[in-house]
Amino acid sequence: MKRREWMKAIGAAGAAAAWPRRANAGISSQTQGSTIVDTDIIRLKLRHTWTTTMSSSAYRDTLHVRFHRDGITGIGEGAPIIRYGENTEEARRAVESIRDLLVPADPWKFMRLQADISHRLAGQYAAKSAIDIAIMDWIGKKLGIPLYRYFGLDPADAPVTSFSIGIDTPEMTRQKVQEAESYPVLKVKVGLDSDEATLDAIRSVTKKPLRVDANEGWKSKEEAVRKINWLETMGVELIEQPMPAAMLDDIRWVRSRVHIPIIADEACLRSTDIPKLAGCFDGVNIKLDKSGGILEANRMIQIARSLGMKIMIGCMVSSSVSITAAAHLSPLADYADLDGNLLVSNDPYEGARVQSGCLILPDGPGLGLRPAPAS
Ligand code: MG
């Protein structure tokens, strides 16, 4: 179906809400009966070049999926993670490869649909997440309730979110910290030789609590303990993934020698990972792009809780679609790190907002997204 015909099919208002300010050409879609599934790749421009121990970039491309049926459009997004060998084009091809499953699917039977998708698609968790978010947005809209209500949650329980400061020169780090003045908790990327200069630069301009993410940066347990003990003296309240994901025995050794919680990120992708992490980590960082969507993220939260672990709900750099989807589960989390959309200058949507660091969930049906006002 051509884009013009699609616009006519769902009505101009619906289409505008679905794809406001689309960045890339090449929407593809397919229909069966009244169901339309579209994919698109949207280029998100970063306010600052984003650097971690793994990569550095000025933009991020994310996959957007739209599921339209019965006059309602569910919107989803996935940000493929390079660390796990995913990229946006392949994610899009993955969704397109299962159109024969998605188009005739009954969205109300979303648990079976999720199982069928897992059966058909190996890997491709960002693609799975984009589909899952679109379906759950559709369900919430069809029911006329926000997703947090569907999960029985109180939006007032949404935690404070940290704001991330990427690796940079001391001067730029100071500037970024000053720009983040309205956020009460900062998250800092470390894991390089410049860690000390980075922390000194931050502490020269703020006394705020810091959360630190080493992104697997320290390669020996002795180095990890030395660094974490030093961070404890710098007002750091938790450390994320200090060592490579596979080094669980080393992490267990480190944990017995430090005093702040250690949170698993790269070591914790899906629910099956969690039982072996108990005793090594104090908590897990759950992201929709790792889990494959909202339903699996919720499953992970329940499993981690049953093992007495803390919950962080995190994100990749993405638009308000994926961030808002995660925010709807955030009342279940101890920590939120949902700032991926705040790092972007051309977010096509508005959804969850941050007010004095607190996540404010939209109360519209489904995700509760609105097109961003034209700038
Ligand atoms: Mg992390």
Side-chain angles (χ1 to χ4, degrees):
M1 174 183 269
K2 291 198 170 94
R3 179 167 167 77
R4 194 184 308 145
E5 291 166 354
W6 188 93
M7 299 271 281
K8 201 173 159 195
I10 70 162
W19 287 142
R21 290 201 276 145
R22 198 170 54 80
N24 285 10
I27 277 186
S28 59
S29 65
Q30 183 177 321
T31 64
Q32 177 170 317
S34 61
T35 300
I36 303 171
V37 175
D38 272 331
T39 60
D40 197 13
I41 292 174
I42 293 189
R43 177 153 293 181
L44 302 171
K45 295 177 195 156
L46 302 181
R47 293 183 193 279
H48 289 287
T49 298
W50 181 247
T51 302
T52 71
T53 54
M54 283 180 276
S55 62
S56 182
S57 59
Y59 63 85
R60 286 286 167 85
D61 291 337
T62 61
L63 173 70
H64 289 237
V65 168
R66 182 173 51 180
F67 181 89
H68 179 80
R69 186 187 173 104
D70 300 345
I72 290 174
T73 302
I75 301 166
E77 178 185 32
I81 304 178
I82 298 165
R83 163 80 166 73
Y84 308 114
E86 294 189 11
N87 68 67
T88 321
E89 287 296 340
E90 282 182 26
R92 183 181 199 174
R93 279 196 289 275
V95 176
E96 288 173 354
S97 75
I98 56 166
R99 283 185 182 283
D100 61 310
L101 180 62
L102 298 174
V103 171
D106 178 353
W108 289 109
K109 296 172 183 161
F110 54 81
M111 296 301 279
R112 183 198 291 165
L113 178 60
Q114 187 189 55
D116 289 345
I117 291 171
S118 289
H119 188 69
R120 284 276 300 273
L121 276 188
Q124 300 296 346
Y125 290 94
K128 287 171 179 161
S129 185
I131 298 167
D132 175 273
I133 294 169
I135 297 284
M136 296 313 293
D137 184 34
W138 187 93
I139 294 284
K141 284 173 173 161
K142 191 77 174 165
L143 292 170
I145 56 171
L147 272 186
Y148 66 75
R149 185 177 293 274
Y150 174 85
F151 287 102
L153 305 176
D154 184 345
D157 292 337
V160 165
T161 183
S162 50
F163 184 83
S164 296
I165 306 289
I167 293 169
D168 216 316
T169 61
E171 189 185 338
M172 277 305 295
T173 300
R174 276 193 292 273
Q175 186 186 319
K176 287 177 179 179
V177 170
Q178 279 158 349
E179 285 173 16
E181 196 183 349
S182 61
Y183 299 94
V185 181
L186 301 179
K187 179 168 165 178
V188 185
K189 298 283 188 179
V190 297
L192 299 176
D193 292 340
S194 55
D195 291 351
E196 214 159 310
T198 300
L199 265 290
D200 285 343
I202 292 169
R203 279 296 175 237
S204 72
V205 286
T206 184
K207 291 190 170 73
K208 286 174 187 173
L210 300 178
R211 297 172 187 168
V212 166
D213 188 355
N215 286 119
E216 311 179 280
W218 300 319
K219 306 303 179 195
S220 82
K221 58 188 181 188
E222 292 81 6
E223 182 187 17
V225 168
R226 200 166 54 244
K227 290 277 194 173
I228 296 169
N229 286 158
W230 164 68
L231 291 170
E232 287 166 351
T233 69
M234 301 292 284
V236 169
E237 63 177 22
L238 62 82
I239 175 79
E240 201 177 307
Q241 199 66 49
M243 300 185 71
M247 298 176 74
L248 293 185
D249 289 340
D250 297 79
I251 285 288
R252 192 186 295 273
W253 187 90
V254 169
R255 186 172 178 242
S256 66
R257 288 163 177 80
V258 303
H259 308 93
I260 54 176
I262 306 179
I263 308 294
D265 183 357
E266 285 82 354
C268 180
L269 310 184
R270 289 167 286 282
S271 51
T272 48
D273 296 320
I274 296 176
K276 68 176 182 285
L277 303 178
C280 304
F281 291 90
D282 298 279
V284 291
N285 184 347
I286 294 168
K287 298 176 181 170
L288 304 188
D289 299 301
K290 293 189 295 180
S291 71
I294 300 169
L295 296 174
E296 173 67 3
N298 184 42
R299 198 173 295 133
M300 293 173 76
I301 291 169
Q302 308 309 329
I303 291 172
R305 277 282 182 238
S306 74
L307 294 166
M309 300 178 85
K310 298 269 189 195
I311 308 294
M312 174 184 283
I313 190 144
C315 65
M316 304 304 292
V317 172
S318 44
S319 79
S320 283
V321 179
S322 175
I323 299 300
T324 303
H328 278 279
L329 286 182
S330 72
L332 291 168
D334 301 288
Y335 313 106
D337 180 31
L338 294 177
D339 63 348
N341 57 333
L342 305 175
L343 308 174
V344 168
S345 62
N346 62 333
D347 189 343
Y349 298 94
E350 282 183 347
R353 291 179 299 116
V354 181
Q355 211 166 60
S356 304
C358 287
L359 281 166
I360 311 293
L361 304 189
D363 54 12
L367 295 175
L369 295 171
R370 295 175 307 276
S375 53

